[in-house]
PDB file of all heavy atoms in Angstrom:
ATOM      1  N   THR U 310      -2.330  30.780  11.989  1.00  0.00           N
ATOM      2  CA  THR U 310      -2.059  30.407  13.374  1.00  0.00           C
ATOM      3  C   THR U 310      -2.827  29.151  13.763  1.00  0.00           C
ATOM      4  O   THR U 310      -3.223  28.990  14.906  1.00  0.00           O
ATOM      5  CB  THR U 310      -2.405  31.552  14.334  1.00  0.00           C
ATOM      6  OG1 THR U 310      -3.771  31.934  14.129  1.00  0.00           O
ATOM      7  CG2 THR U 310      -1.510  32.748  14.115  1.00  0.00           C
ATOM      8  N   ASP U 311      -3.051  28.292  12.810  1.00  0.00           N
ATOM      9  CA  ASP U 311      -3.652  26.988  13.065  1.00  0.00           C
ATOM     10  C   ASP U 311      -2.776  25.960  12.368  1.00  0.00           C
ATOM     11  O   ASP U 311      -2.379  26.160  11.205  1.00  0.00           O
ATOM     12  CB  ASP U 311      -5.084  26.926  12.522  1.00  0.00           C
ATOM     13  CG  ASP U 311      -5.756  25.612  12.870  1.00  0.00           C
ATOM     14  OD1 ASP U 311      -5.612  24.641  12.105  1.00  0.00           O
ATOM     15  OD2 ASP U 311      -6.428  25.554  13.922  1.00  0.00           O
ATOM     16  N   SER U 312      -2.478  24.872  13.049  1.00  0.00           N
ATOM     17  CA  SER U 312      -1.521  23.908  12.509  1.00  0.00           C
ATOM     18  C   SER U 312      -1.989  23.274  11.212  1.00  0.00           C
ATOM     19  O   SER U 312      -1.177  22.795  10.417  1.00  0.00           O
ATOM     20  CB  SER U 312      -1.231  22.815  13.544  1.00  0.00           C
ATOM     21  OG  SER U 312      -2.418  22.157  13.923  1.00  0.00           O
ATOM     22  N   HIS U 313      -3.306  23.255  10.970  1.00  0.00           N
ATOM     23  CA  HIS U 313      -3.816  22.641   9.745  1.00  0.00           C
ATOM     24  C   HIS U 313      -3.942  23.625   8.592  1.00  0.00           C
ATOM     25  O   HIS U 313      -4.781  23.455   7.697  1.00  0.00           O
ATOM     26  CB  HIS U 313      -5.157  21.957  10.024  1.00  0.00           C
ATOM     27  CG  HIS U 313      -5.014  20.747  10.886  1.00  0.00           C
ATOM     28  ND1 HIS U 313      -5.279  20.769  12.234  1.00  0.00           N
ATOM     29  CD2 HIS U 313      -4.602  19.488  10.602  1.00  0.00           C
ATOM     30  CE1 HIS U 313      -5.031  19.576  12.745  1.00  0.00           C
ATOM     31  NE2 HIS U 313      -4.623  18.780  11.777  1.00  0.00           N
ATOM     32  N   THR U 314      -3.102  24.643   8.601  1.00  0.00           N
ATOM     33  CA  THR U 314      -3.059  25.585   7.478  1.00  0.00           C
ATOM     34  C   THR U 314      -2.416  24.863   6.298  1.00  0.00           C
ATOM     35  O   THR U 314      -1.205  24.895   6.109  1.00  0.00           O
ATOM     36  CB  THR U 314      -2.272  26.847   7.867  1.00  0.00           C
ATOM     37  OG1 THR U 314      -2.873  27.429   9.026  1.00  0.00           O
ATOM     38  CG2 THR U 314      -2.286  27.871   6.745  1.00  0.00           C
ATOM     39  N   ARG U 315      -3.250  24.210   5.515  1.00  0.00           N
ATOM     40  CA  ARG U 315      -2.803  23.372   4.404  1.00  0.00           C
ATOM     41  C   ARG U 315      -3.741  23.560   3.213  1.00  0.00           C
ATOM     42  O   ARG U 315      -4.916  23.225   3.275  1.00  0.00           O
ATOM     43  CB  ARG U 315      -2.831  21.885   4.798  1.00  0.00           C
ATOM     44  CG  ARG U 315      -1.815  21.492   5.843  1.00  0.00           C
ATOM     45  CD  ARG U 315      -0.414  21.393   5.232  1.00  0.00           C
ATOM     46  NE  ARG U 315       0.518  20.812   6.176  1.00  0.00           N
ATOM     47  CZ  ARG U 315       1.212  21.481   7.081  1.00  0.00           C
ATOM     48  NH1 ARG U 315       1.069  22.793   7.169  1.00  0.00           N
ATOM     49  NH2 ARG U 315       2.057  20.881   7.894  1.00  0.00           N
ATOM     50  N   TYR U 316      -3.190  24.085   2.105  1.00  0.00           N
ATOM     51  CA  TYR U 316      -3.987  24.293   0.892  1.00  0.00           C
ATOM     52  C   TYR U 316      -3.216  23.806  -0.336  1.00  0.00           C
ATOM     53  O   TYR U 316      -3.389  24.302  -1.440  1.00  0.00           O
ATOM     54  CB  TYR U 316      -4.361  25.779   0.756  1.00  0.00           C
ATOM     55  CG  TYR U 316      -4.780  26.393   2.075  1.00  0.00           C
ATOM     56  CD1 TYR U 316      -4.006  27.363   2.705  1.00  0.00           C
ATOM     57  CD2 TYR U 316      -5.933  25.952   2.737  1.00  0.00           C
ATOM     58  CE1 TYR U 316      -4.377  27.892   3.938  1.00  0.00           C
ATOM     59  CE2 TYR U 316      -6.304  26.478   3.968  1.00  0.00           C
ATOM     60  CZ  TYR U 316      -5.515  27.448   4.560  1.00  0.00           C
ATOM     61  OH  TYR U 316      -5.881  27.967   5.781  1.00  0.00           O
ATOM     62  N   GLY U 317      -2.358  22.800  -0.086  1.00  0.00           N
ATOM     63  CA  GLY U 317      -1.468  22.334  -1.143  1.00  0.00           C
ATOM     64  C   GLY U 317      -2.180  21.785  -2.355  1.00  0.00           C
ATOM     65  O   GLY U 317      -1.702  21.921  -3.479  1.00  0.00           O
ATOM     66  N   ALA U 318      -3.347  21.132  -2.149  1.00  0.00           N
ATOM     67  CA  ALA U 318      -4.080  20.558  -3.278  1.00  0.00           C
ATOM     68  C   ALA U 318      -4.571  21.631  -4.238  1.00  0.00           C
ATOM     69  O   ALA U 318      -4.887  21.339  -5.387  1.00  0.00           O
ATOM     70  CB  ALA U 318      -5.256  19.727  -2.772  1.00  0.00           C
ATOM     71  N   LEU U 319      -4.641  22.871  -3.774  1.00  0.00           N
ATOM     72  CA  LEU U 319      -5.054  24.000  -4.614  1.00  0.00           C
ATOM     73  C   LEU U 319      -3.846  24.801  -5.091  1.00  0.00           C
ATOM     74  O   LEU U 319      -3.985  25.953  -5.525  1.00  0.00           O
ATOM     75  CB  LEU U 319      -6.020  24.898  -3.836  1.00  0.00           C
ATOM     76  CG  LEU U 319      -7.303  24.201  -3.378  1.00  0.00           C
ATOM     77  CD1 LEU U 319      -8.137  25.131  -2.522  1.00  0.00           C
ATOM     78  CD2 LEU U 319      -8.112  23.698  -4.571  1.00  0.00           C
ATOM     79  N   GLY U 320      -2.665  24.199  -5.004  1.00  0.00           N
ATOM     80  CA  GLY U 320      -1.462  24.867  -5.503  1.00  0.00           C
ATOM     81  C   GLY U 320      -0.951  25.961  -4.593  1.00  0.00           C
ATOM     82  O   GLY U 320      -0.158  26.809  -5.028  1.00  0.00           O
ATOM     83  N   THR U 321      -1.387  25.945  -3.340  1.00  0.00           N
ATOM     84  CA  THR U 321      -1.011  26.985  -2.378  1.00  0.00           C
ATOM     85  C   THR U 321      -0.231  26.357  -1.241  1.00  0.00           C
ATOM     86  O   THR U 321      -0.688  25.392  -0.631  1.00  0.00           O
ATOM     87  CB  THR U 321      -2.264  27.669  -1.802  1.00  0.00           C
ATOM     88  OG1 THR U 321      -3.061  28.155  -2.866  1.00  0.00           O
ATOM     89  CG2 THR U 321      -1.890  28.807  -0.872  1.00  0.00           C
ATOM     90  N   MET U 322       0.923  26.903  -0.945  1.00  0.00           N
ATOM     91  CA  MET U 322       1.716  26.372   0.152  1.00  0.00           C
ATOM     92  C   MET U 322       1.282  27.052   1.450  1.00  0.00           C
ATOM     93  O   MET U 322       1.479  28.257   1.627  1.00  0.00           O
ATOM     94  CB  MET U 322       3.210  26.592  -0.107  1.00  0.00           C
ATOM     95  CG  MET U 322       4.105  25.756   0.777  1.00  0.00           C
ATOM     96  SD  MET U 322       5.861  25.927   0.366  1.00  0.00           S
ATOM     97  CE  MET U 322       5.907  25.049  -1.198  1.00  0.00           C
ATOM     98  N   GLY U 323       0.652  26.289   2.339  1.00  0.00           N
ATOM     99  CA  GLY U 323       0.206  26.818   3.615  1.00  0.00           C
ATOM    100  C   GLY U 323       1.079  26.317   4.746  1.00  0.00           C
ATOM    101  O   GLY U 323       1.488  25.154   4.762  1.00  0.00           O
ATOM    102  N   ILE U 324       1.374  27.193   5.693  1.00  0.00           N
ATOM    103  CA  ILE U 324       2.185  26.830   6.850  1.00  0.00           C
ATOM    104  C   ILE U 324       1.443  27.282   8.103  1.00  0.00           C
ATOM    105  O   ILE U 324       0.993  28.429   8.199  1.00  0.00           O
ATOM    106  CB  ILE U 324       3.580  27.479   6.792  1.00  0.00           C
ATOM    107  CG1 ILE U 324       4.360  26.940   5.585  1.00  0.00           C
ATOM    108  CG2 ILE U 324       4.358  27.215   8.087  1.00  0.00           C
ATOM    109  CD1 ILE U 324       5.738  27.561   5.409  1.00  0.00           C
TER     110      ILE U 324
END
Side-chain angles (χ1 to χ4, degrees):
T310 56
D311 184 273
S312 58
H313 291 100
T314 303
R315 292 284 189 272
Y316 318 112
L319 300 175
T321 305
M322 196 175 289
I324 296 178

